[in-house]
Amino acid sequence: MLNVKTKMPIVLSLLAALLLVLGACSNNSENKGTEHKEEVDHSEMDMDHSGSGDVPEGLKAEENPTFEVGSQVIIKTGHMESMKGAKATIVGAYDTTAYAVSYTPTTGGEKVKNHKWIIQEEIEGAGEETYEPGAEVIIKASHMKGMDGAVAHIETAENTTVYMVDFTPTSGGETVKNHQWVTESELSAAE
């Protein structure tokens, strides 16, 4: 049996470890859902994972996409949990401008920072001209609850091919259908 003198350092060590874990958890919860980083958990953000497959009016199909409709790819980014590394099937390929945006949901809550992606055709009143970083726009897309009608600030703009994909999350579960959008640089050919 251990006496009090030998138990005390063990108890103090366990207590210190517990405090470190709890402190790390509380710091993460303050930022959860506020920044759109490489691997973000959108489960609390009401992201509409599967879509109808409808595309915005005026969106033009890419004539010669790098990844053909029906081809298999690997997703190299994590817009949502269990997306990075997932095998996907290309459902559509479109020529447009993709924007990373920051906005406050119309339903309230914390600001969503650097959301990837909305496209030119999902901006209210958008013409042909590309918006510059810092421009204020109104979103007309509903990838996430509270997004449609939100005032957003353009963070980045990229003229590219965007893809709609079906993929099975790396954690398993149901196939996500018609996910909008993944850019060409976020994909690689499946082996």
Side-chain angles (χ1 to χ4, degrees):
M1 283 214 85
L2 297 172
N3 63 31
V4 173
K5 285 185 177 182
T6 55
K7 284 183 185 176
M8 188 57 81
I10 294 171
V11 170
L12 289 175
S13 295
L14 289 173
L15 183 58
L18 179 62
L19 290 173
L20 284 172
V21 169
L22 291 175
C25 290
S26 69
N27 286 342
N28 282 344
S29 66
E30 289 174 14
N31 293 328
K32 194 166 198 171
T34 61
E35 291 193 33
H36 204 85
K37 295 181 181 175
E38 183 64 20
E39 192 71 42
V40 174
D41 179 2
H42 279 103
S43 60
E44 293 181 15
M45 298 172 92
D46 294 321
M47 188 162 194
D48 201 358
H49 301 299
S50 287
S52 65
D54 295 337
V55 297
E57 189 176 318
L59 184 59
K60 296 181 178 97
E62 173 62 57
E63 291 181 21
N64 296 303
T66 300
F67 304 106
E68 299 279 334
V69 171
S71 64
Q72 300 293 303
V73 294
I74 302 295
I75 302 173
K76 302 187 304 185
T77 191
H79 296 172
M80 62 181 151
E81 185 178 3
S82 300
M83 185 178 192
K84 187 174 184 177
K87 279 192 172 180
T89 302
I90 301 296
V91 177
Y94 306 93
D95 180 28
T96 189
T97 301
Y99 297 97
V101 295
S102 295
Y103 68 95
T104 300
T106 59
T107 53
E110 294 186 39
K111 186 173 186 173
V112 176
K113 296 181 181 178
N114 204 32
H115 171 82
K116 295 181 181 176
W117 302 98
I118 67 165
I119 59 173
Q120 185 82 12
E121 294 77 9
E122 293 175 325
I123 295 174
E124 187 174 290
E128 297 290 321
E129 294 296 314
T130 300
Y131 290 93
E132 295 293 324
E136 188 174 278
V137 299
I138 297 175
I139 302 171
K140 59 175 195 174
S142 53
H143 304 171
M144 293 170 29
K145 187 175 179 183
M147 178 181 254
D148 193 22
V151 175
H153 290 89
I154 302 293
E155 301 293 341
T156 65
E158 181 180 338
N159 293 313
T160 187
T161 301
V162 295
Y163 295 88
M164 184 175 359
V165 296
D166 291 346
F167 71 94
T168 302
T170 57
S171 60
E174 290 184 34
T175 299
V176 175
K177 298 278 193 181
N178 303 315
H179 175 76
Q180 297 174 344
W181 306 102
V182 183
T183 62
E184 194 162 290
S185 64
E186 295 174 323
L187 301 173
S188 63
E191 301 285 319

